[in-house]
Amino acid sequence: MVELYHFWSSVCSVRCRMALEEKGVAWTSRYTDIFRFEQLTPEYLKLNPDGVVPTLVHNGQAICESTVINEYIDQAFEGPALVPADALGAARMREFVRKCEGSFDPIVKLTMVKYILPKLLNRWGREELEKQVARRPMKYYQDVHSRGLRGEIGEAELKLAREEIEVLLDRLEKTLEDHDWIVGDQLTLADIAIAPYVFRLSALGADQFWSKDRRPRVNAWYGRLSARPAFRKAVSWPDENGGGYEEVGLKATLSPVA
Ligand SMILES: N[C@@H](CCC(=O)N[C@@H](CS)C(=O)NCC(=O)O)C(=O)O
């Protein structure tokens, strides 16, 4: 049995949903509402001691870390290969995945200020959120949530976050010079690693970053990506009320921008 503990809009959850769909793996959803702190229950912390989503459970074994989960999915199940067969291609893929892991923080900060905190404050109020900060096992999330609540993630930090994202998108533009996908002519885990970031940026209204003029190859790549049923399914997972991005005041575009 394959179970995925995940949350609708979590970028790391999108990554694993997309890999499962690309491989054609049948999986059972264990929806974990991180806006109701379900990632911090004692039961969940036994599976994922960091208190984050996603977690994959296969035949009773829990696997954490979205990019590790995706390598596992590729190896453990039948279906199209998502890791290049040759050593150099696999190394190129992992270089890019590592780069994406290193760019997680700016995506979190941009999202925290524009979407996560307003939604959480509206639902829970400041006092309750301050209590929940201390329950988080990861110092990183304690820091980013508490500074967010104190209004300390300011314009200078967000500007830096946008600049870091631009560096990642420049890397993507360069990588796509000679082929349709990041490592050659087939979609790999490298494309899947960055796909949810690009979708999130579009939800945050930052799709001008890959307009045809600014980054034409990223623009065309996003068009190819958006056409894939696995991607569309992965990003369109509804929230707990059956809603989605528009309901939380964001608009995510699937098609390339002109
Ligand atoms: N490195 C981890 C990061 C997972 C992570 O940070 N997930 C976020 C959602 S994208 C989360 O669970 N946040 C919980 C929180 O904010 O307390 C992975 O790739 O799986």
Side-chain angles (χ1 to χ4, degrees):
M1 182 174 190
V2 182
E3 300 156 274
L4 186 71
Y5 290 75
H6 66 121
F7 181 64
W8 75 281
S9 67
S10 137
V11 287
C12 299
S13 299
V14 171
R15 248 182 211 154
C16 296
R17 291 200 297 260
M18 185 173 171
L20 286 166
E21 298 302 335
E22 286 288 349
K23 289 297 270 194
V25 177
W27 57 283
T28 302
S29 167
R30 302 283 179 229
Y31 191 72
T32 308
D33 190 342
I34 66 175
F35 287 174
R36 290 198 163 81
F37 316 112
E38 289 175 3
Q39 81 279 23
L40 303 175
T41 61
E43 300 74 43
Y44 187 73
L45 290 173
K46 277 189 205 142
L47 300 175
N48 189 318
D50 287 334
V52 294
V53 289
T55 303
L56 185 85
V57 179
H58 184 207
N59 297 333
Q61 295 291 329
I63 299 148
C64 303
E65 291 296 329
S66 56
T67 55
V68 175
I69 293 171
N70 278 2
E71 290 247 13
Y72 179 85
I73 290 170
D74 188 59
Q75 275 194 26
F77 303 106
E78 301 287 317
L82 299 174
V83 175
D86 64 302
L88 184 61
R92 290 279 174 261
M93 183 207 87
R94 293 194 179 101
E95 279 172 356
F96 197 88
V97 170
R98 183 80 60 91
K99 184 84 189 143
C100 291
E101 289 168 342
S103 302
F104 182 60
D105 177 59
I107 291 281
V108 171
K109 282 178 184 155
L110 292 171
T111 309
M112 184 66 72
V113 169
K114 186 131 182 208
Y115 151 51
I116 299 177
L117 274 180
K119 171 140 185 171
L120 287 179
L121 275 167
N122 187 35
R123 180 181 287 175
W124 298 102
R126 181 172 300 276
E127 211 175 306
E128 179 59 28
L129 290 185
E130 274 162 6
K131 270 194 229 151
Q132 297 295 337
V133 165
R135 291 181 66 206
R136 289 189 162 82
M138 285 177 71
K139 290 281 172 224
Y140 170 74
Y141 276 120
Q142 289 184 11
D143 174 66
V144 87
H145 278 276
S146 61
R147 286 194 311 110
L149 278 172
R150 291 196 300 268
E152 287 174 11
I153 305 180
E155 205 27 65
E157 196 168 341
L158 294 178
K159 183 169 173 281
L160 200 66
R162 280 190 289 271
E163 283 166 9
E164 281 184 57
I165 293 297
E166 297 246 24
V167 170
L168 182 65
L169 291 173
D170 280 342
R171 177 72 63 92
L172 179 57
E173 181 74 11
K174 176 103 189 90
T175 311
L176 293 168
E177 250 166 26
D178 303 321
H179 24 75
D180 277 0
W181 299 100
I182 293 171
V183 192
D185 298 325
Q186 299 289 324
L187 174 124
T188 68
L189 295 182
D191 303 281
I192 294 178
I194 195 171
Y197 290 179
V198 179
F199 186 74
R200 170 61 54 82
L201 289 169
S202 83
L204 294 172
D207 41 10
Q208 75 278 6
F209 279 173
W210 59 92
S211 64
K212 267 190 183 144
D213 292 346
R214 279 179 76 178
R215 293 190 177 90
R217 293 186 191 94
V218 177
N219 184 286
W221 170 88
Y222 192 56
R224 283 189 288 278
L225 190 75
S226 290
R228 295 183 84 89
F231 177 73
R232 298 183 86 86
K233 203 165 173 187
V235 298
S236 309
W237 195 276
D239 72 8
E240 56 287 355
N241 304 314
Y245 284 90
E246 293 198 348
E247 201 159 316
V248 294
L250 300 178
K251 195 173 172 333
T253 50
L254 279 165
S255 50
V257 286

